[in-house]
Amino acid sequence: MLSLPPDRRVALATGLARFGDRPALVEGERVLTYAALAAEVEEVGRLLGGTRRLVLVAAGNDRGSVVAHLGALAAGHVVLLTADRDASVAELVATYDPDVVVRGGRVDERRAGTAHDLHPDLALLLSTSGTTGSPRLVRLGVEGVQANAESIAEYLAVRDSDVAVTTLPLHYCYGLSVLHSHLLRGASVVLTSLSVVDACFWDLVRAQGVTSLSGVPHTFELLDRVGFGAGVPPSLRYLTQAGGRMAPDLVRRYAELGQRHGFDLFVMYGQTEATARMAYLPPDLVLEHPGSVGVAVPGGELRIDAPDPVTGVGELVYAGPNVMLGYAAGPADLARPREVTELRTGDLARLDEAGLVEVVGRVARFAKVYGLRVDLDRVDHVLADDGLVAACASDDQRLVVAVQVEGPARPGPGRRLEARVAARVAARVGAITSLPPSGVRVVAVREIPRLPSGKPDARAVLELAAGSGAPEPQDVRGTFALVLGVERVDDEDTFTSLGADSLSYVETTVRLEELLGTLPTGWHVLSVGELEALRRRGDAAQRPRRRGRSVETGVLLRALAITAIVATHGNLVDLAGGAHLLLGLVGFNLARFHLTGTSAPERARRLVRSATRIAVPTVLWAGAVTLLAGAYPWRTALLLNGVAGPASWSEPAWHLWFVEAVVALLLGAAALVVVPGIHRVERRWPFWLPVAVAVAALATRYDLVSLRGGDEIHRAHVLAWLVALGWAAARATTWQHRAVVSLLLVATVPGFFGDPAREAVVAAGLLALVWAPVVRLPAVVARACGTLAGASLWIYLTHWQVYPHLEDRWPLLALLASLAVGVTAQRAWTAATAVGGRAVRGLRSGRPAIQRAAPEGGSVIAVSPESSTGRAPGTTLTATGVPAG
């Protein structure tokens, strides 16, 4: 343990043992007493060593995360708490270089001591609300963490007999405050990741006698959906609500429900910058003042800065011991002392007639559209008061309002209902803001896009206005993949096993109801295969057929390009240029799917994985047909023809040039993004960096730099400019950006091939990608495009072995047969890799967790049901005693 004085360690974590045999944590069937928790917390502190360190804890709602967090706090280390997600962890590790990373109950000691100068008052680092994994962190002090827990426990009157349940993630300041305030008073906390929409959650609540539930406004929407009012647990003592403004009507309704069932409703207000809470509304005032956040928490003070003489509205300022030390943007900031003594919340507020604080908007949530200043919070609040679930955002060119609607989004009554809602909202917003109809875009959605904290995601709301253009999934697998954002969904997967959460539940429910009709009870634990069987047994004739579907232009171009390639090779048409058009699409998708908001190492890994997914099937196919039929030289089969093959075009050596170029350019992009500084430049100038790369790559296109002569129009380094322009097209968010990309295309594509028709195909295709991101097609055509686009790699690989046998006599049959063989091969490969993936997962699930070796002088720390040192079952963190190295 560290030799820090008690006032440099968080008391709520060091004083656990005083509650003895009272239950502290409940997880599944296991109950951990305070005495046992204190022992495990002390052991973690011992294992972390005698040097004060920066400890990143990737937290889930589980016992290992709680013990690691408390152990580090109790020993005086600095905890960086984040979500247990790859992107979040990678971003923070890359930015802050923590000494220790705790994830999944395992501890990775990245060095023996510390690389950081840590201020003695610093205890905890949290991402600001809603920005999980963001490198900008809130620095919270030892005193602040303790003081806020005491304040919350005081106004909620938390008792040692109380039982809380983790309805919110522990990495979120609100969820963490529930844990801290209850442990401070010797109460119990039930650890679970179940959602409030899950029947198993309510079984757990009743079995454990849960006395309090906490939620953000979205949680209360979900409670409505599951009929909470008809089945209030008898043990419930109070509900707490924070994390954003809840509509007054909903506040009043839950307060009245509490009066009928004997529980209180606490409306609260806070920010991560104040550790958690700054104000609360006493339950006896809720019915009379449902729009208020109440009074300052014990020990704090609230004031209105420079109130308007007429409205009384000004910026809300808070002072108290729980105010943060300041922000951190990098490791050097961790040594800085307190820089904030009072918190300017950025919220606009006023005092009502009873002297209670009412938050009415955000200082920064104003937009200027058509020269009019628009208060976005006021729009949100008015729509909420009208009974609508809505969120608005603006890019200063238009106001986008997302409105949540129930029912299917399909032709017929459901579609008319959405149109009526959109018209109603547009008229209401126009009346509020004085904006003309052209300045307001209303989008009807099944579920408001939300951040991990449950708050509306303003950026995602803006993106809705552009229209996703993605075809609606027509099966259960596609629905799960779309809503949950997973790459592959297998037959035995379930909604729960795929890592779903409450934020995705409602949207998935609505989509599945459209596919299946009435959903069976417990659908979320049924496998995809079982749900697909229900869909197939349904009466498809009773579901109206879609007259048309929106398709991304990129998907259409990919399907047309691969068809043109095969048709040209098979002597059906003469329409060259498809492969080079596909290279532009490679750059476009590279930006959309690989260069997203993650760390530089994670981006590079994504690019390498993508290159591998292309290279592996290519080498296997080319190798197989070479061994069986002598199809290719070995350099071609190994994708080395461009660097070791003949300089000029010769068949069949150059048949796979396109795949070779794609793999090389993806690997080149991976190398680029790990160059120091490039990651930061791309995040700051996401459009202008690819433009600069494209301009620089023109050096090879115009032979200013010649790396290897010969057949240059098929060599990766000469084609890099096309990929970079596709990248820039994906980042073009304004008409000026699109104009820049268009000018570069028009200026650089002509003359490259010496074939005007071929150049026109490439330029026209990429210009369509820039200016028309979505097209509307008949449903059958849209499905065909999706099939061909998805199988384009395998069509390209296999068509060389199909069309030569048919091109002279039956060129159309050569095309159709090549497409059919490619689609079949793609499906076979997908099935084979799915089986392989399941086999690998099965092997992994049967293995004990293999821990990574610690640095020299360190140890390896593991999770096991039973300690290898002979301790009782339930031990969470255990030193295995394996020497480093």
Side-chain angles (χ1 to χ4, degrees), residues 283-300:
D284 58 338
L285 299 178
V286 172
L287 284 175
E288 294 181 17
H289 305 275
S292 169
V293 298
V295 298
V297 299

Side-chain angles (χ1 to χ4, degrees), residues 808-820:
D808 292 332
R809 297 182 61 188
W810 302 291
L812 177 59
L813 183 58
L815 168 65
L816 298 177
S818 296
L819 297 179

Side-chain angles (χ1 to χ4, degrees), residues 328-531:
D333 296 331
L334 306 184
R336 287 158 51 189
R338 175 175 292 279
E339 297 169 322
V340 181
T341 56
E342 62 176 17
L343 180 63
R344 303 192 69 86
T345 65
D347 286 325
L348 296 173
R350 63 187 171 208
L351 296 179
D352 65 15
E353 66 280 1
L356 302 175
V357 175
E358 183 181 359
V359 176
V360 298
R362 288 285 294 170
V363 173
R365 281 208 79 205
F366 284 90
K368 201 163 190 179
V369 184
Y370 287 12
L372 298 174
R373 194 166 185 259
V374 178
D375 182 342
L376 302 183
D377 276 305
R378 181 166 179 260
V379 175
D380 282 344
H381 292 175
V382 170
L383 294 178
D385 292 345
D386 288 348
L388 294 171
V389 180
C392 68
S394 175
D395 56 5
D396 287 342
Q397 296 180 353
R398 59 185 168 179
L399 179 65
V400 179
V401 184
V403 182
Q404 187 169 303
V405 297
E406 297 292 334
R410 60 187 181 190
R415 177 65 72 185
R416 289 194 294 273
L417 172 63
E418 290 189 7
R420 287 199 299 271
V421 170
R424 169 191 167 194
V425 172
R428 187 75 167 109
V429 171
I432 299 168
T433 63
S434 300
L435 287 173
S438 59
V440 181
R441 173 71 186 277
V442 179
V443 183
V445 296
R446 294 180 179 87
E447 180 77 359
I448 298 294
R450 297 185 185 275
L451 297 163
S453 66
K455 295 182 179 180
D457 186 340
R459 179 177 298 180
V461 169
L462 279 177
E463 292 173 352
L464 288 171
S468 67
E472 288 286 335
Q474 298 299 302
D475 58 8
V476 175
R477 181 176 287 101
T479 298
F480 281 8
L482 176 67
V483 177
L484 301 177
V486 293
E487 291 185 358
R488 190 172 68 217
V489 179
D490 296 323
D491 281 346
E492 54 267 40
D493 287 332
T494 68
F495 179 80
T496 303
S497 72
L498 290 168
D501 56 29
S502 63
L503 299 183
S504 54
Y505 178 87
V506 175
E507 181 179 0
T508 308
T509 299
V510 174
R511 288 177 178 271
L512 288 183
E513 285 172 346
E514 181 180 359
L515 289 171
L516 280 69
T518 303
L519 281 177
T521 303
W523 67 264
H524 59 286
V525 294
L526 295 179
S527 71
V528 170
E530 291 170 320
L531 291 171

Side-chain angles (χ1 to χ4, degrees), residues 841-848:
R841 287 196 297 274
L843 289 173
R844 286 177 177 171
S845 65
R847 298 176 186 159

Side-chain angles (χ1 to χ4, degrees), residues 259-270:
Q259 286 187 340
R260 295 195 298 272
H261 290 274
F263 66 81
D264 289 326
L265 173 66
F266 286 84
V267 175
M268 308 187 301
Y269 165 78

